[in-house]
């Protein structure tokens, strides 16, 4: 019997070269003035900023640029961005970049129209946000189709998500030309993040027939790109496949959420400075070995679209791509596992998981 489910994906996705310019009418009615949220390099290097400015100009819409987004968004950067949005009287938000500018833009869209303390922001105590248009320049987070924004919270010394249906962008423009300026490392790490989303999604209690279908396609597209991910030489078709795989992974986690791989990865980023996708890559193989012991059928079904015959083989492939996690002390292992076991994702796994299991996963990934 097929499990009951609901599926909600309210983002209009427009894919193809030059889609930002060719579909300028899509954002003509979203507002009079946009705040364009970017980091320091990706919006310009990718060519996306020039394209959106041409589109806005064609529509006679005004804009201002806030380029204060930083990797692993800080609370200061989102509150500063919200001040910019208010000062500029922006009535909609455009995000250009990887997960960091996109997640920054979501928090800005909320804070521009709600006076919120940090506590209320993390408690998701808001009901509205400015409308958003998202243009990813990495292929990994899928933030353009999710209701999550992951921010750095120094109070808990880790990263923490805000989550609300009002955080879904209105439109996501997927143009793989914007990914061509990405470095090899960012391409690899973001692809591993997308893989992690799709694999983790299939392991959740909330997985359903549609999210699994999307996850399987996402995983198989990444598998097709393995030779390029190994060599660092990407055709345009590879770029397109990875961008679609990322968006599919985003649609998966929008339904299912992630599991403890993401929760364990956050301390690696916070304390060791590991890029988000790299942190997941360190852990995903060992986590699948744990799943295989608990539920071999689930592990086999999840690894099939990647072509791995066992979790061990999957772990080896990931190790070839990203290496093994850096050494941790016994105390660090305990702390990381403790932190991860307090997150929502910890409870999201479809097989039984104890905090001690995470210690085992961590030890197995070093
Ligand atoms: P990122 O932090 O957005 O970007 C990494 C680096 O790559 C930055 O220096 C960035 O430049 C640069 N870059 C990006 N695109 C480029 C391009 N096309 N050409 C040249 N340089 C480029 O990396 P990310 O992996 O995409 O995002 C990671 C963040 O997303 C983490 O904070 C993670 O927690 C979050 N995340 C969110 C979700 C979600 O559902 N919301 C899911 C997973 C992960 P700039 O300085 O210009 O930005
Ligand atoms: Fe992620």
């Amino acid at each position: 019997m097929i499990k009951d489910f609901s599926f909600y994906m309210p983002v209009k996705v427009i894919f193809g070269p030059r889609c930002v310019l060719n579909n300028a009418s899509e954002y003509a009615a979203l507002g009079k003035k946009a705040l364009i949220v970017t980091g320091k390099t990706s919006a310009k290097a990718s060519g996306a900023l020039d394209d959106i400015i041409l589109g806005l100009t064609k529509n006679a819409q005004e804009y201002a640029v806030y380029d204060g987004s930083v990797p692993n968004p800080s609370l200061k950067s989102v509150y500063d961005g919200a001040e910019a949005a208010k000062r500029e009287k922006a009535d909609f938000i455009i995000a250009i970049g990887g997960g960091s500018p996109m997640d920054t833009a979501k928090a800005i869209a909320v804070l521009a129209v709600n006076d919120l303390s940090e506590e209320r922001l993390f408690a998701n105590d808001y009901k509205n946000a400015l409308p958003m248009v998202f243009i990813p320049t990495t292929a990994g987070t899928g933030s353009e189709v999710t209701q999550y924004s992951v921010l750095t919270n120094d109070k808990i010394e880790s990263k923490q998500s805000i989550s609300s249906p009002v955080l879904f962008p209105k439109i996501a423009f997927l143009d793989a030309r914007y990914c061509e300026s990405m470095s090899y490392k960012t391409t690899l790490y973001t692809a591993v993040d997308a893989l992690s989303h799709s694999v983790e999604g299939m392991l959740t209690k909330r997985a359903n027939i549609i999210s699994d279908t999307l996850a399987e396609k996402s995983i198989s597209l990444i598998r097709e790109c393995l030779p390029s991910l190994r060599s660092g030489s990407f055709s345009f078709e590879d770029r397109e496949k990875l961008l679609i795989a990322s968006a599919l992974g985003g649609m998966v986690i929008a339904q299912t959420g992630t599991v403890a791989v993401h929760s364990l990865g956050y301390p690696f980023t916070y304390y060791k400075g590991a890029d988000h996708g790299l942190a997941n890559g360190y852990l995903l193989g060992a986590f699948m070995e744990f799943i295989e012991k608990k539920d071999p059928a689930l592990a086999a079904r999840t690894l099939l679209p990647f072509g791995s015959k066992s979790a061990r083989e999957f772990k080896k492939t990931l190790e070839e791509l990203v290496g093994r996690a850096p050494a941790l002390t016994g105390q660090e292992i305990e702390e990381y596992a403790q932190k991860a076991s307090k997150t929502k994702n910890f409870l999201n796994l479809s097989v039984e998981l104890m905090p001690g299991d995470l210690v085992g996963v961590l030890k197995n990934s070093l």
Side-chain angles (χ1 to χ4, degrees), residues 56-169:
L56 291 168
T57 308
K58 195 161 125 188
N59 290 340
Q61 288 166 297
E62 289 180 71
Y63 66 89
V65 176
Y66 173 71
D67 67 359
S69 156
V70 293
N72 305 306
S74 65
L75 286 170
K76 179 173 183 335
S77 69
V78 303
Y79 279 91
D80 285 354
E83 283 312 310
K86 288 184 208 162
R87 196 170 55 240
E88 296 292 344
K89 302 195 167 45
D91 52 6
F92 70 117
I93 301 284
I94 295 171
I96 306 175
S100 299
M102 290 195 282
D103 286 358
T104 303
K106 287 177 182 172
I108 291 175
V110 168
L111 292 168
V113 287
N114 294 279
D115 271 325
L116 295 178
S117 63
E118 293 174 9
E119 287 71 23
R120 285 181 62 200
L121 178 65
F122 280 116
N124 296 304
D125 187 10
Y126 50 87
K127 291 198 169 55
N128 59 336
L130 291 178
M132 293 175 263
V133 175
F134 272 33
I135 309 173
T137 65
T138 63
T141 70
S143 180
E144 69 277 8
V145 290
T146 74
Q147 71 281 45
Y148 312 121
S149 159
V150 188
L151 305 172
T152 298
N153 185 355
D154 291 318
K155 289 212 174 90
I156 59 160
E157 295 193 356
S158 195
K159 298 181 70 175
Q160 194 177 356
S161 300
I162 60 170
S163 167
S164 161
V166 305
L167 296 182
F168 278 115

Side-chain angles (χ1 to χ4, degrees), residues 2-281:
I2 292 174
K3 194 170 110 184
D4 296 1
F5 69 90
S6 71
F7 185 93
Y8 183 57
M9 221 305 287
V11 184
K12 181 162 190 173
V13 177
I14 303 180
F15 174 83
R18 284 166 291 282
C19 58
V20 168
L21 259 177
N22 292 345
N23 297 279
S25 59
E26 293 284 345
Y27 43 93
L30 279 189
K32 288 193 174 64
K33 184 167 186 180
L35 184 76
I36 305 176
V37 177
T38 73
K40 289 287 183 265
T41 50
S42 54
K44 286 186 191 134
S46 64
L49 183 61
D50 287 343
D51 286 352
I52 195 76
I53 287 175
L54 279 174
L56 291 168
T57 308
K58 195 161 125 188
N59 290 340
Q61 288 166 297
E62 289 180 71
Y63 66 89
V65 176
Y66 173 71
D67 67 359
S69 156
V70 293
N72 305 306
S74 65
L75 286 170
K76 179 173 183 335
S77 69
V78 303
Y79 279 91
D80 285 354
E83 283 312 310
K86 288 184 208 162
R87 196 170 55 240
E88 296 292 344
K89 302 195 167 45
D91 52 6
F92 70 117
I93 301 284
I94 295 171
I96 306 175
S100 299
M102 290 195 282
D103 286 358
T104 303
K106 287 177 182 172
I108 291 175
V110 168
L111 292 168
V113 287
N114 294 279
D115 271 325
L116 295 178
S117 63
E118 293 174 9
E119 287 71 23
R120 285 181 62 200
L121 178 65
F122 280 116
N124 296 304
D125 187 10
Y126 50 87
K127 291 198 169 55
N128 59 336
L130 291 178
M132 293 175 263
V133 175
F134 272 33
I135 309 173
T137 65
T138 63
T141 70
S143 180
E144 69 277 8
V145 290
T146 74
Q147 71 281 45
Y148 312 121
S149 159
V150 188
L151 305 172
T152 298
N153 185 355
D154 291 318
K155 289 212 174 90
I156 59 160
E157 295 193 356
S158 195
K159 298 181 70 175
Q160 194 177 356
S161 300
I162 60 170
S163 167
S164 161
V166 305
L167 296 182
F168 278 115
K170 294 272 180 263
I171 309 172
F173 286 110
L174 306 185
D175 183 341
R177 293 178 313 149
Y178 302 145
C179 295
E180 291 187 302
S181 52
M182 237 196 304
S183 69
Y184 169 47
K185 279 203 164 156
T186 305
T187 305
L188 174 62
Y189 298 162
T190 52
V192 171
D193 189 26
L195 176 67
S196 203
H197 295 159
S198 296
V199 167
E200 288 180 63
M202 290 183 75
L203 307 177
T204 61
K205 288 177 186 156
R206 287 187 272 159
N208 63 57
I209 190 164
I210 297 188
S211 67
D212 278 353
T213 306
L214 300 177
E216 283 162 5
K217 184 65 188 174
S218 162
I219 294 167
S220 74
L221 284 172
I222 296 167
R223 176 198 187 182
E224 287 171 29
C225 296
L226 273 176
S228 329
L229 289 168
R230 285 199 177 97
S231 69
S233 161
F234 299 92
S235 66
F236 188 68
E237 199 185 349
D238 293 326
R239 292 281 182 199
E240 293 201 313
K241 284 180 178 172
L242 291 173
L243 191 56
I244 295 279
S246 166
L248 294 178
M251 290 177 200
V252 171
I253 60 168
Q255 316 305 317
T256 63
T258 52
V259 294
V261 176
H262 264 64
S263 334
L264 279 176
Y266 291 151
F268 269 107
T269 300
Y270 191 86
Y271 293 116
K272 304 287 177 193
D275 286 10
H276 172 68
L278 176 63
N280 294 332

